[in-house]
Amino acid sequence: MGGEHGAAAAEALRLSTRPPHRALGASIAGEPEAVALFDQCYDPFWESVLAFVSAARTAVHDL
């Protein structure tokens, strides 16, 4: 995957992994707000995964 679009999608995906990681850590620590934190970051994480996959498919198709 090349170009600015691919790099932006990869960076967005990288950044989107932080909140779920924090939420899982909070869950392991037994923090009561962990479920709510995970619920808040679930959809944005998967949206960034789909954007990354779409950018990758476009890049492969353009080869």
Side-chain angles (χ1 to χ4, degrees):
M1 173 175 13
E4 291 181 24
H5 183 68
E11 179 65 4
L13 178 58
R14 184 183 74 79
L15 293 174
S16 75
T17 63
R18 290 178 179 178
H21 186 262
R22 284 189 208 116
L24 290 174
S27 179
I28 291 168
E31 296 178 21
E33 73 280 357
V35 172
L37 285 171
F38 188 82
D39 287 346
Q40 290 172 352
C41 62
Y42 184 84
D43 286 340
F45 168 74
W46 283 107
E47 288 170 8
S48 67
V49 169
L50 293 175
F52 179 77
V53 169
S54 176
R57 284 181 177 161
T58 298
V60 168
H61 180 68
D62 291 345
L63 290 178

